[in-house]
Amino acid sequence: MAKEKRNIKILRYNPKTDKKPHWKSYNLELDSELTILDVLNEIHWKIDGSLAYRRSCRSAICGSCAMKINGQNLLACETPMHKFKGTIKIEPLPGFPILKDLVVDMDGFFKKIERVKPYLILDKPTPIKEFIQTPEEFDNIREAATCILCGACTSSCPSLWANEDYLGPAALLKSYRFIFDTRDDGSVDRIDIVNDKNGIWRCHTIFNCMEACPKNIKITEYLSKLKVKVLENTI
Amino acid sequence: MKFNKEGRYHKLDAVIVGAGLAGLRAALEIAKTGKRVAIVTKVYPTRSHSGAAQGGIAAALGNVADDSLEMHMFDTIKGSDYLGDQDIIEFFVNEARKTVYELENMGVPFSRTEDGKINQRPFGGHQSPRACFSADITGHVLLHTLYEQCVRHKVLFFNEFQVFSLLIKNNIANGVVAWDIRHGGFHTFHAKAVLLATGGYGRAFEITSNAHANTGDSLALILENGLPLEDMEFVQFHPTGVYKHGILLSEACRGEGGYLTNGKGERFMENYAKDKMELAPRDVVSRSEQTEINQGRGIDGKDYVYLDMRHLGSKKILDRLPQVRELALNYLKVDMITDPVPIQPTAHYSMGGIPANINTEVILDAKGTVVRGLYAAGEAACLSLHGGNRLGTNSLQDAATFGRVAGQSISKFIAESPIEELSQNHLDNANGKVSALRDGKGKERHSEIREELQKNMTKLVGVFRKEEDMLKLKSIIKGLQERFKDVSIDDKGDVYNMDLFEAFEVGNLLEFSEVMVEGAIARKESRGAHFRTDFPKRDDEKWMKHTLAWKTKDGVKLDFSKEVVTYMDRFPPIERKY
């Protein structure tokens, strides 16, 4: 395997000893086939065990390892090192409180997801077997259901930087996934929630979320459909 | 540095360790009865590894072709190479359809047939298309739906807590002690019942599809408490791991019609499973691949073969396997629409685990004596549903069905049982473990020990096994266990101390790996995923029985008196051909 010399800069922060985050530089000789997660593991396992970051599945589905890499919100596990030339700068996801190093507090993020009632609400009795739903109806929610709740979109949203109470793209996408699910009967409530002053109207169609999404979900488009739905139901 | 030795205290009806499919499904069942149930998990629930399952969940719905419970039962039994307990398998297939409909009714978005039913695709070892799927993210949507239902029903979540100690007093489980990863310090979860649902433990191997979190922590806690593990030698190697990374490309690739080809461009499965070809069960396909590689017919003579999807066309690939395609693109820079993908066998699923009965109650001997208040479900458990080899899509079904069963059993138990008081010294064990790692003065790094273990496990107790290799491995593990006593960690702090929980995990890997190897040495036959080149035949005379293994101060103690439950009149053991 080919080796290459790389400078890796990581924004470090230990709440017990540091007043504010600071850059730490590592010069390493690395296999060129490594992912950014492999690089973090290399540093953590071989050089400094106190480096903290989240990771689990390694295959871009668990959503643990979203972080800012050379200015972009990405999943460390699926981002190959060779995507970048020269120095690689790694920081925690912006817009969230830092707990330690690359680990951010996502409780607020999950609370916002909970606010949109992210579960199927039924007024009707359940059928003996499955609900009938056409392939087209499934297709309407399929991409939105792919969301891994990594936070990359919400973290990249300027509207959210301006107002931290804004639900943000991930929670709104979650509401879309249920509002557009033909089986659901809870949309009246949910539409009220997203029509709130901290809801859908704070989306200014900036498209940052869509660019940030590691699953390539067309978030802004879905939020636009959601706006139309809200208008249809409230005017 | 000081940490709070007293810790925080929570009194509960039930505590569940692990927030994957089994843990969430159980919690939901208990919460619906109004009882106080907490899930303690190392990762945020939606990060659990159930979410990585791609291809589907098995149930004989018959939505796209004829199917029956009898066929599902037969396929599972044959797939298990006749080591699966047939009473468990019968119960499982009977519940499977209900489980899927229930999940759909809860909101799981499934792919649909033209007439609006749950769509189903073929999978290895199943005679009929039985895998109910949601594109290639089936586990992900199941996990998220169950998590959301748990939130709705007010399950208490303790996210990013590492369980260090399982509390059992007078043969009654009464809680766990867990380390708060974010803030440091211990919490005691005192409960009438404990469910262990910590999932798989493939991290014992170098090449694995498993998440970093899959370290089998609860198995080590079981051994520490003097309880046995079952059938640990049966580890499934999945045929389509991404070359060098080990992460998975779903079996759905072959379900949808993908080919496997060797360095000569041949569909080599023709020589191993003429009828089922690429859709033979995983153990068969992995061995075939490894044989091709070992005999020099890998691609360019190297240690991989190809998964070829090109003939399916871009529409089908983009519609049915969009995430899988992305994985190959990102990790290997290969677009499966235009090029074949390099793959190799990867440690994937553990058929063995914590022995439990049909009610998911943990048992402590071959007679089936239960540990009161202690339950196990999902991949961490061994009921034994999958026997020597699990069929694809039976695992999500296992976790969901037996998660529900665990919830029901626990609800019944806590309604009629008092809480067992804690021992005075209930924190000592966990405190001792953390102190040993944080205050250790040794020079060993846990990551080096782990890497050595993983490398040797893949090499010496992998797809093909023989006594000589495994005896060598046994002494390597002994040596690593000795070295582990001298581990010290860099991070002495309280806040998000990864170094601490990783070191603990390495200790756990070493404990159950030893049991795996001992079981594999003792089982002198080849059955399911356990293949001995020195004993290449299945031996039904001697080995229609389960392995129970305890750790004692004199080493691993094995017991083979737990017979396989077989309905000789209905499903007598036959030779396994595909």
Side-chain angles (χ1 to χ4, degrees):
Chain A
M1 232 185 283
K3 294 261 187 187
E4 54 183 280
K5 286 199 170 137
R6 280 293 185 123
N7 174 241
I8 311 290
K9 285 195 163 71
I10 301 178
L11 196 66
R12 302 287 310 259
Y13 174 67
N14 181 338
K16 293 281 165 82
T17 53
D18 303 329
K19 284 213 176 90
K20 54 178 194 183
H22 57 96
W23 289 98
K24 186 150 184 193
S25 180
Y26 303 86
N27 289 306
L28 304 163
E29 195 165 304
L30 297 161
D31 292 334
S32 52
E33 289 177 17
L34 297 187
T35 64
I36 298 298
L37 177 59
D38 293 329
V39 174
L40 291 173
N41 287 339
E42 189 86 1
I43 295 169
H44 172 70
W45 289 336
K46 307 226 164 104
I47 301 170
D48 182 357
S50 75
L51 175 65
Y53 50 100
R54 288 198 181 98
R55 80 288 178 272
S56 196
C57 78
R58 308 178 296 139
S59 51
I61 194 69
C62 79
S64 300
C65 65
M67 52 188 74
K68 191 171 169 185
I69 305 165
N70 278 5
Q72 279 176 278
N73 288 353
L74 296 163
L75 296 179
C77 73
E78 66 163 358
T79 304
M81 191 175 79
H82 58 65
K83 184 182 166 89
F84 310 103
K85 293 209 165 34
T87 294
I88 299 174
K89 291 174 78 172
I90 308 173
E91 319 165 50
L93 271 187
F96 294 106
I98 305 177
L99 289 175
K100 182 180 170 189
D101 297 335
L102 303 172
V103 179
V104 295
D105 185 348
M106 295 194 74
D107 283 352
F109 173 82
F110 280 97
K111 283 276 171 268
K112 284 178 182 172
I113 304 283
E114 288 176 24
R115 258 168 62 193
V116 303
K117 303 195 171 182
Y119 34 78
L120 202 66
I121 296 171
L122 298 175
D123 288 342
K124 50 186 171 288
T126 52
I128 296 164
K129 295 182 173 179
E130 68 268 65
F131 286 108
I132 297 299
Q133 191 172 54
T134 67
E136 294 72 30
E137 288 167 343
F138 165 70
D139 269 344
N140 283 335
I141 56 169
R142 175 179 125 163
E143 244 192 47
T146 304
C147 171
I148 58 174
L149 301 177
C150 68
C153 60
T154 294
S155 160
S156 74
C157 175
S159 305
L160 202 119
W161 302 338
N163 173 9
E164 62 175 7
D165 293 328
Y166 169 42
L167 277 172
L172 287 168
L173 184 72
K174 186 61 92 176
S175 76
Y176 170 94
R177 176 251 172 277
F178 285 99
I179 289 169
F180 282 78
D181 190 325
T182 51
R183 298 169 293 180
D184 184 73
D185 301 316
S187 287
V188 175
D189 270 6
R190 244 184 246 112
I191 285 174
D192 273 353
I193 294 163
V194 301
N195 195 27
D196 175 72
K197 68 177 165 42
N198 290 316
I200 186 74
W201 305 111
R202 291 204 182 264
C203 166
H204 301 309
T205 328
I206 301 165
F207 286 93
N208 274 18
C209 54
M210 208 158 123
E211 279 168 32
C213 178
K215 305 314 281 181
N216 302 319
I217 302 170
K218 297 183 283 295
I219 307 172
T220 319
E221 284 181 26
Y222 293 118
L223 298 198
S224 299
K225 282 188 190 169
L226 190 57
K227 286 175 184 168
V228 173
K229 184 87 174 180
V230 171
L231 285 175
E232 281 171 3
N233 281 268
T234 52
I235 291 175
Chain B
M1 189 170 289
K2 284 226 164 63
F3 54 94
N4 183 0
K5 289 213 175 205
E6 295 308 312
R8 290 190 47 195
Y9 173 85
H10 310 270
K11 193 165 185 174
L12 303 153
D13 289 305
V15 61
I16 294 172
V17 187
L21 222 53
L24 292 171
R25 186 62 192 81
L28 180 59
E29 202 65 25
I30 299 166
K32 279 181 175 171
T33 67
K35 296 292 182 187
R36 204 170 138 77
V37 53
I39 291 187
V40 179
T41 165
K42 295 203 282 195
V43 295
Y44 275 102
T46 58
R47 317 300 189 211
S48 303
H49 205 51
S50 302
Q54 297 161 346
I57 175 167
L61 306 185
N63 281 357
V64 301
D66 281 344
D67 203 354
S68 70
L69 297 182
E70 193 79 358
M71 282 158 75
H72 190 186
M73 190 171 171
F74 174 74
D75 292 345
T76 303
I77 292 167
K78 186 179 169 190
S80 83
D81 217 349
Y82 296 88
L83 189 74
D85 284 328
Q86 296 183 10
D87 54 341
I88 301 284
I89 297 172
E90 183 168 44
F91 174 81
F92 166 80
V93 300
N94 282 334
E95 294 293 305
R97 297 198 284 208
K98 175 182 160 193
T99 300
V100 168
Y101 291 137
E102 200 176 63
L103 289 164
E104 193 279 340
N105 293 170
M106 276 182 210
V108 172
F110 279 106
S111 292
R112 299 288 166 159
T113 61
E114 284 308 316
D115 53 354
K117 295 178 185 166
I118 294 169
N119 207 345
Q120 298 188 277
R121 61 163 53 116
F123 240 73
H126 295 280
Q127 306 173 57
S128 181
R130 192 175 289 145
C132 310
F133 67 95
S134 180
D136 54 359
I137 52 165
T138 313
H140 167 81
V141 294
L142 291 171
L143 180 72
H144 280 240
T145 301
L146 281 174
Y147 170 64
E148 291 158 359
Q149 289 293 327
C150 284
V151 166
R152 182 185 195 178
H153 288 91
K154 308 272 184 282
V155 171
L156 303 168
F157 281 98
F158 291 85
N159 302 329
E160 304 194 304
F161 277 72
Q162 169 71 275
V163 171
F164 270 80
S165 180
L166 166 63
L167 306 176
I168 300 176
K169 192 180 153 198
N170 305 326
N171 194 36
I172 304 173
N174 61 350
V176 296
V177 177
W179 176 261
D180 177 351
I181 293 173
R182 281 193 229 174
H183 308 100
F186 285 115
H187 289 227
T188 301
F189 297 88
H190 184 197
K192 291 179 178 178
V194 179
L195 171 64
L196 302 174
T198 58
Y201 35 96
R203 296 305 296 179
F205 294 84
E206 181 184 22
I207 302 292
T208 176
S209 64
N210 282 201
H212 282 286
N214 296 150
T215 52
D217 304 327
S218 67
L219 281 81
L221 296 176
I222 283 285
L223 291 172
E224 182 186 57
N225 273 280
L227 298 170
L229 295 176
E230 181 170 340
D231 291 346
M232 289 294 288
E233 61 272 31
F234 292 96
V235 176
Q236 178 175 78
F237 296 86
H238 193 294
T240 53
V242 170
Y243 182 49
K244 286 186 185 167
H245 295 269
I247 60 169
L248 208 61
L249 299 178
S250 174
E251 183 167 323
C253 295
R254 284 170 289 135
E256 296 292 351
Y259 297 153
L260 295 174
T261 58
N262 62 16
K264 295 167 138 183
E266 301 161 337
R267 278 180 75 188
F268 56 84
M269 284 309 298
E270 209 163 19
N271 303 322
Y272 304 91
K274 214 169 174 38
D275 285 350
K276 294 287 174 194
M277 296 291 286
E278 283 86 357
L279 283 180
R282 291 171 180 170
D283 57 333
V284 175
V285 180
S286 282
R287 275 196 293 278
S288 310
E289 257 175 35
Q290 197 62 50
T291 305
E292 293 297 303
I293 291 167
N294 292 352
Q295 296 181 358
R297 292 187 298 276
I299 307 301
D300 299 328
K302 292 190 187 147
D303 55 343
Y304 64 94
V305 294
Y306 277 145
L307 171 66
D308 194 343
M309 305 291 290
R310 293 173 294 181
H311 57 287
L312 297 179
S314 62
K315 187 177 179 301
K316 191 163 193 180
I317 291 171
L318 292 173
D319 185 47
R320 296 289 179 89
L321 303 161
Q323 302 298 325
V324 177
R325 174 176 170 258
E326 284 286 319
L327 287 179
L329 269 177
N330 287 328
Y331 290 84
L332 295 170
K333 289 196 275 185
V334 172
D335 187 346
M336 57 169 58
I337 293 172
T338 53
D339 291 290
V341 189
I343 48 125
Q344 70 182 134
T346 183
H348 180 58
Y349 188 87
S350 316
M351 275 70 72
I354 303 165
N357 63 21
I358 199 161
N359 303 316
T360 71
E361 295 165 294
V362 171
I363 59 171
L364 55 80
D365 57 27
K367 289 182 299 189
T369 313
V370 306
V371 183
R372 285 174 57 78
L374 188 59
Y375 299 79
E379 192 175 342
C382 177
L383 268 74
S384 147
L385 166 60
H386 308 296
N389 173 65
R390 173 178 69 77
L391 295 186
T393 71
N394 267 355
S395 57
L396 288 178
Q397 183 59 255
D398 173 8
T401 288
F402 285 102
R404 182 181 66 229
V405 169
Q408 289 163 343
S409 304
I410 290 170
S411 297
K412 193 163 168 283
F413 179 80
I414 58 187
E416 59 199 27
S417 309
I419 196 162
E420 178 72 18
E421 288 309 313
L422 293 172
S423 305
Q424 283 293 321
N425 57 356
H426 73 273
L427 282 169
D428 288 1
N429 174 284
N431 265 324
K433 287 175 185 167
V434 168
S435 300
L437 293 168
R438 289 217 298 197
D439 307 336
K441 300 277 183 277
K443 291 271 177 280
E444 294 285 355
R445 286 188 84 79
H446 57 82
S447 55
E448 283 172 17
I449 293 174
R450 176 180 44 74
E451 279 171 15
E452 206 149 315
L453 173 74
Q454 291 170 325
K455 202 176 64 197
N456 283 297
M457 289 288 282
T458 289
K459 199 168 112 195
L460 301 174
V461 71
V463 176
F464 291 111
R465 302 161 170 191
K466 61 174 187 286
E467 180 155 299
E468 189 191 337
D469 284 353
M470 293 189 289
L471 289 174
K472 196 168 140 196
L473 180 56
K474 187 177 152 180
S475 78
I476 291 172
I477 292 174
K478 278 272 163 237
L480 293 174
Q481 286 170 340
E482 279 305 309
R483 281 174 61 191
F484 186 75
K485 292 175 185 163
D486 286 324
V487 160
S488 67
I489 54 179
D490 297 341
D491 194 340
K492 308 290 183 192
D494 279 337
V495 180
Y496 217 93
N497 189 338
M498 267 177 97
D499 215 12
L500 174 66
F501 71 74
E502 284 184 343
F504 173 65
E505 289 170 344
V506 173
N508 295 338
L509 295 177
L510 289 168
E511 289 304 296
F512 71 74
S513 293
E514 182 188 357
V515 171
M516 261 184 200
V517 175
E518 291 278 8
I521 293 171
R523 186 174 285 272
K524 293 183 168 41
E525 66 156 353
S526 291
R527 182 184 297 272
H530 171 67
F531 195 94
R532 295 274 308 246
T533 53
D534 43 359
F535 298 93
K537 290 262 186 295
R538 192 175 84 194
D539 183 350
D540 291 342
E541 290 273 308
K542 280 194 196 149
W543 289 105
M544 288 289 283
K545 41 199 172 189
H546 298 290
T547 310
L548 288 180
W550 292 255
K551 283 267 297 202
T552 69
K553 61 178 185 341
D554 306 319
V556 175
K557 184 183 98 183
L558 298 170
D559 175 337
F560 297 102
S561 61
K562 190 167 182 259
E563 300 275 341
V564 175
V565 177
T566 306
Y567 301 149
M568 290 306 285
D569 50 335
R570 290 169 68 196
F571 302 105
I574 52 169
E575 194 192 347
R576 193 161 161 256
K577 278 190 186 156
Y578 288 96

